[in-house]
């Protein structure tokens, strides 16, 4: 009986210590969307290093940049003494990340491929925050927004659309991408959803043969004229510009892109 009591007291004392050991005090993010996720999960004030183009929220611009398209500055990261590094397996080079891990730095990989995984990433990061309710609430908000959009637009006829990411060369996305999921969520169909490659290069002829009824592209309304000119005399359909950071980054603002696109696609159908 005494042994059991001592064990219970020991467990009760150790559980809080185990939980506190997970809280990160010095965090580094190696991709702009991971920076956004960190802030949304309540870890923004713990960031001591970020990647290039980490510009949201605005205070992220003031944090030292330790990674860019040229690579990861391992020496500087080690000097900053992080207890947690957020990495993107699909975009960060593996060798420096393996080097950091071998030196005892905790590296976790976050690469959301759909909206539910964005929410799950927030839940995962919340466990490293001293205020985990912030991340969990942000995750739940995304799930609620997703359900609302599905209920509002999911039952409507599908509109074939072309998702255009550049002109020369002409790139699009396949059905496995987050961007394609957002289009589907809004009651539209990605005409290249069946592509085996996630980011296929296509020709004008391939696009025209699939007869899209709208074009979705990340960019500004000013760039809309360029896209229209690119398809002049070949494709006279609505051009839907969506903020590139909202649409391209797998972070909380993907729901802003979804809300905008769903309203615009619905308007075309009417």
């Amino acid at each position: 009986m005494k042994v059991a009591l001592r064990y219970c007291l020991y467990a009760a004392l150790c559980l809080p210590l185990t939980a506190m050991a997970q809280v990160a005090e010095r965090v580094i993010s190696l991709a702009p969307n991971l920076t956004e996720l960190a802030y949304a999960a309540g870890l923004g004030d713990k960031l001591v290093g970020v990647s290039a183009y980490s510009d949201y929220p605005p205070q992220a611009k003031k944090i030292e940049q330790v990674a860019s398209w040229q690579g990861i500055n391992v020496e500087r990261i080690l000097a900053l003494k992080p207890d947690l590094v957020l990495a993107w397996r699909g975009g960060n080079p593996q060798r420096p990340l393996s080097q950091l891990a071998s030196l005892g730095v905790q590296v976790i990989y976050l690469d959301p491929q759909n909206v539910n995984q964005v929410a799950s990433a927030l839940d995962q990061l919340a466990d490293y925050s001293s205020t985990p309710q912030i991340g969990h609430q942000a995750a739940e908000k995304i799930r609620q927004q997703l359900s609302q959009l599905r209920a509002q637009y999911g039952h409507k006829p599908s509109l074939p659309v072309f998702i255009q990411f550049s002109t020369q060369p002409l790139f699009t996305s396949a059905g496995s991408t987050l961007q394609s999921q957002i289009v589907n969520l809004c009651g539209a169909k990605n005409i290249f959803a069946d592509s085996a490659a996630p980011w296929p290069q296509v020709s004008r002829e391939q696009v025209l043969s699939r007869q899209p009824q709208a074009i979705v592209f990340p960019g500004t309304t000013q760039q809309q004229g360029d896209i229209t000119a690119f398809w002049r005399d070949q494709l006279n359909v609505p051009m839907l510009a969506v903020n590139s950071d909202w649409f391209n980054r797998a972070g909380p603002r993907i729901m802003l892109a979804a809300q905008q696109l769903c309203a615009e696609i619905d308007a075309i159908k009417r």
Side-chain angles (χ1 to χ4, degrees):
M1 182 69 178
K2 291 181 179 179
V3 173
L5 180 60
R6 283 200 300 270
Y7 176 80
C8 290
L9 289 172
Y10 175 80
L13 289 170
C14 289
L15 280 176
L17 293 175
T18 301
M20 287 301 294
Q22 294 181 340
V23 173
E25 295 297 335
R26 298 179 66 80
V27 181
I28 286 177
S29 160
L30 299 179
N33 72 306
L34 302 183
T35 301
E36 293 191 27
L37 285 167
Y39 271 98
L43 289 170
D45 61 342
K46 306 300 183 183
L47 284 168
V48 295
V50 296
S51 71
Y53 302 106
S54 289
D55 53 10
Y56 187 87
Q59 53 265 41
K61 299 177 184 178
K62 301 177 182 179
I63 302 173
E64 181 179 352
Q65 295 185 1
V66 295
S68 68
W69 64 271
Q70 294 177 308
I72 296 172
N73 190 337
V74 173
E75 290 185 4
R76 186 55 190 154
I77 290 175
L78 291 173
L80 290 171
K81 299 181 180 180
D83 44 27
L84 182 64
V85 171
L86 311 181
W88 171 29
R89 196 181 295 277
N92 295 139
Q94 185 59 48
R95 181 175 293 181
L97 296 176
S98 298
Q99 182 181 357
L100 288 170
S102 69
L103 294 171
V105 178
Q106 184 178 11
V107 179
I108 64 171
Y109 295 90
L110 299 168
D111 191 11
Q113 299 297 312
N114 56 55
V115 175
N116 280 321
Q117 288 181 13
V118 171
S120 295
L122 288 169
D123 280 328
Q124 183 178 352
L125 288 177
D127 293 338
Y128 295 93
S129 171
S130 58
T131 53
Q133 67 275 13
I134 293 176
H136 293 314
Q137 288 170 359
E140 184 57 27
K141 180 180 179 181
I142 286 177
R143 294 187 181 103
Q144 290 175 355
Q145 291 171 328
L146 179 61
S147 295
Q148 290 168 356
L149 291 175
R150 279 177 174 161
Q152 186 172 358
Y153 300 104
H155 64 283
K156 298 190 176 183
S158 186
L159 182 81
V161 303
F162 174 53
I163 307 173
Q164 181 171 341
F165 287 96
S166 63
T167 54
Q168 294 180 349
L170 192 59
F171 274 98
T172 186
S173 64
S176 59
T177 64
L178 176 60
Q179 290 73 19
S180 187
Q181 186 198 21
I182 294 301
V183 164
N184 291 342
L185 177 65
C186 296
K189 180 182 179 182
N190 173 9
I191 61 172
F192 286 99
D194 60 350
S195 172
W199 305 99
Q201 181 178 337
V202 296
S203 66
R204 288 175 185 255
E205 291 72 22
Q206 287 175 304
V207 175
L208 294 170
S209 69
R210 300 194 182 204
Q211 300 179 328
Q213 295 181 26
I215 291 179
V216 173
F217 67 94
T220 64
T221 52
Q222 288 77 14
Q223 293 172 310
Q224 188 168 332
D226 296 335
I227 302 295
T228 301
F230 180 81
W231 292 107
R232 183 171 290 129
D233 301 326
Q234 291 182 303
L235 199 56
N236 184 21
V237 298
M239 308 287 175
L240 307 181
V242 60
N243 183 294
S244 58
D245 288 345
W246 296 358
F247 195 53
N248 291 343
R249 295 181 183 180
R253 291 191 294 169
I254 192 64
M255 297 313 296
L256 295 177
Q259 290 164 347
Q260 176 193 333
L261 275 179
C262 286
E264 292 181 346
I265 290 172
D266 191 53
I268 293 173
K269 295 179 180 181
R270 293 177 185 173

